[in-house]
Amino acid sequence: MSSTAKLIIITAFPSESRVIIDQFKLKRQHKQRSFQHYVNKENTIHLVESGKGKIAAAAATASAYQYSGEYKHSHFINIGIAGGNFPIGSLHQIHKITDRSNDINHYPRIFGKIKSTTLITCDKPVSEYSDDCCFDMEASGFYQIASKLVPHEQISILKVISDNPHFDHSNITKQSTISNINKNIDTIKEHCNTMLTNSQA
């Protein structure tokens, strides 16, 4: 893999990133103190943990791009959990994001065989579960910044269902998040590797 290839992964929490960090053998970058930032030995995969909320996700996305060298062919992916009227642990890619606070829509890239759905980014956790829709707190902030840095064809979002009408968001634990991400790690890794390949100039 060319060292100029770049994949930038944004997660919100350590429980979302732990399995991904292990799979790609990422190491913590102690020089970067604004966010928890991890990089592989080849300097081709960067992962940043943003913390909760779309503002934090936006800031982490900009920081990751700057720290990784502002490579114009970088591909961005937001990976995390979301609520929805789907089976717990099911994996979805997002083809439309709506920011509930302003009703602005965004359209990430869709490719491969992962089922796609829409997503609503909210400012606080919700206990509503509409059919064919997920809910999170970060994606719109991530996309808003990523789409200013690279074309939308270079941006993807994957969400794993963490809560649904039968399992409220108040029941989510670090271990349940790790387990749900781990169930899908082979598919997530394949998706990421395809994006990384596509990022080569």
Side-chain angles (χ1 to χ4, degrees), residues 64-190:
Y65 184 67
Q66 182 178 36
Y67 189 82
S68 65
E70 300 184 355
Y71 177 58
K72 67 179 181 180
H73 297 291
S74 294
H75 279 50
F76 288 79
I77 182 167
N78 173 221
I79 303 172
I81 59 173
N85 191 13
F86 302 101
I88 297 294
S90 59
L91 177 66
H92 303 259
Q93 60 179 322
I94 305 304
H95 63 257
K96 177 184 177 182
I97 308 162
T98 300
D99 188 319
R100 173 164 283 181
S101 67
N102 55 27
D103 289 327
I104 293 176
N105 296 320
H106 309 285
Y107 300 91
R109 180 185 180 191
I110 296 297
F111 66 94
K113 298 180 180 180
I114 302 173
K115 178 181 177 181
S116 72
T117 188
T118 60
L119 179 143
I120 297 174
T121 294
C122 305
D123 291 332
K124 60 183 179 180
V126 298
S127 294
E128 57 184 279
Y129 301 103
S130 304
D131 291 341
D132 298 322
C133 184
C134 298
F135 296 84
D136 90 329
M137 296 177 63
E138 287 79 34
S140 68
F142 158 79
Y143 190 91
Q144 184 176 359
I145 297 302
S147 62
K148 294 182 184 302
L149 302 172
V150 298
H152 79 94
E153 293 88 354
Q154 294 169 216
I155 307 170
S156 181
I157 295 175
L158 295 183
K159 295 293 177 178
V160 178
I161 299 302
S162 58
D163 51 293
N164 64 17
H166 310 291
F167 189 85
D168 188 76
H169 65 80
S170 62
N171 295 315
I172 298 171
T173 64
K174 292 179 181 178
Q175 191 54 50
S176 69
T177 299
I178 292 169
S179 177
N180 286 326
I181 297 290
N182 191 51
K183 288 176 185 176
N184 296 283
I185 193 58
D186 289 343
T187 304
I188 291 171
K189 188 174 182 180
E190 180 181 3

